[in-house]
Amino acid sequence: MINVAIDGPAGAGKSSIAKAAAKELGFIYVDTGALYRTIALNAVRNNVIDSTEGIVKMLENTDVKLGFKDGTQCVYLNGEDVSDLIRTPEISMGASKVSAIPEVRAFLLDLQRNIAKENNVIMDGRDIGTVVLPDAQCKIFLFASAECRAKRRYKELIEKGENVTYENVLDDVNKRDYQDSHREIAPLKPTDESVMADTTSLNLQESVDYVINIIREKM
């Protein structure tokens, strides 16, 4: 099986780029951030998002599964398709919180690795190359400036009808960058083998082509 690990900060375009690249290459795309968002959604619903102990306890009654409809990943929480419900700013910040908890990472690790064992995958997240798939044949660290990422995210949220300001989105991006790179467990960082891919000045299609070329070179 061919495993591609794409890591990088929030808003670098990992999901959109990885999804499009996987489709072109005939691979399965795995958005690991969706798994952490699902845990965060469950924690918000159970009013334990600010309690590490509460979140760990909640895992005993949490079932998370990935499914694929027409090649598109769907994520299920206790049997409910929550793919659309996990894409809010509140859940984004919650995902950053829960991903710093070792028990949450351990809870999701086998699920991610099992998918990669059985399929050619492009998996994106924060610690795919370092922790989840350390033996991946291709590792890419995708990044862009904080301002560029905030602009992309702001545009996406406005198009969804969210009431946000660019300043608040930029503040969220900077906070998530700090949380993700300073957490004790599996901090966000490139590996020695990672190909550094800066998409600041690229549009989506250019970024996809860039990543596909990197993957083909490694294959």
Side-chain angles (χ1 to χ4, degrees):
M1 292 302 159
I2 297 168
N3 292 170
V4 179
I6 299 183
D7 292 304
K14 296 188 302 296
S15 299
S16 304
I17 293 165
K19 197 183 295 179
K23 189 173 182 183
E24 185 158 333
L25 293 166
F27 285 23
I28 281 180
Y29 162 61
V30 183
D31 169 12
T32 62
L35 301 174
Y36 289 99
R37 286 170 177 270
T38 302
I39 300 292
L41 175 66
N42 204 28
V44 168
R45 286 178 169 180
N46 285 278
N47 297 312
V48 293
I49 191 64
D50 293 317
S51 164
T52 297
E53 194 179 323
I55 291 167
V56 172
K57 180 78 179 153
M58 177 197 77
L59 294 176
E60 294 172 12
N61 300 303
T62 301
D63 178 60
V64 178
K65 283 192 171 64
L66 285 180
F68 297 91
K69 289 181 190 168
D70 302 322
T72 300
Q73 177 183 285
C74 303
V75 62
Y76 298 89
L77 171 62
N78 298 330
E80 175 193 356
D81 184 350
V82 295
S83 307
D84 294 330
L85 301 176
I86 57 174
R87 299 294 170 185
T88 67
E90 178 192 17
I91 299 303
S92 292
M93 291 305 289
S96 194
K97 276 184 186 173
V98 303
S99 66
I101 300 170
E103 290 86 349
V104 172
R105 305 195 76 81
F107 179 79
L108 294 173
L109 187 59
D110 284 345
L111 172 63
Q112 297 168 76
R113 284 183 173 165
N114 287 339
I115 295 169
K117 269 182 203 162
E118 296 162 10
N119 304 278
N120 292 330
V121 300
I122 297 181
M123 193 177 288
D124 77 47
R126 302 284 192 281
D127 65 342
I128 309 305
T130 52
V131 177
V132 181
L133 301 177
D135 298 324
Q137 294 92 329
C138 178
K139 298 179 183 182
I140 299 169
F141 193 86
L142 202 66
F143 67 100
S145 71
E147 292 75 16
C148 169
R149 289 182 284 127
K151 277 177 194 161
R152 290 173 184 167
R153 184 77 179 129
Y154 173 70
K155 182 169 178 278
E156 188 184 306
L157 291 169
I158 290 296
E159 283 170 359
K160 284 183 179 175
E162 301 271 353
N163 183 20
V164 292
T165 65
Y166 166 74
E167 290 72 22
N168 284 347
V169 175
L170 178 59
D171 188 46
D172 278 353
V173 165
N174 284 322
K175 275 183 189 162
R176 283 207 69 184
D177 283 356
Y178 185 84
Q179 283 179 358
D180 291 341
S181 57
H182 286 76
R183 66 186 182 214
E184 283 183 36
I185 305 295
L188 169 68
K189 63 179 181 181
T191 70
D192 291 340
E193 310 96 60
S194 298
V195 178
M196 304 298 289
D198 184 354
T199 66
T200 303
S201 60
L202 305 179
N203 64 29
L204 178 58
Q205 190 53 54
E206 288 167 340
S207 300
V208 172
D209 293 342
Y210 181 27
V211 164
I212 286 173
N213 285 337
I214 293 170
I215 295 169
R216 284 191 167 136
E217 279 176 19
K218 293 286 182 184
M219 284 162 62

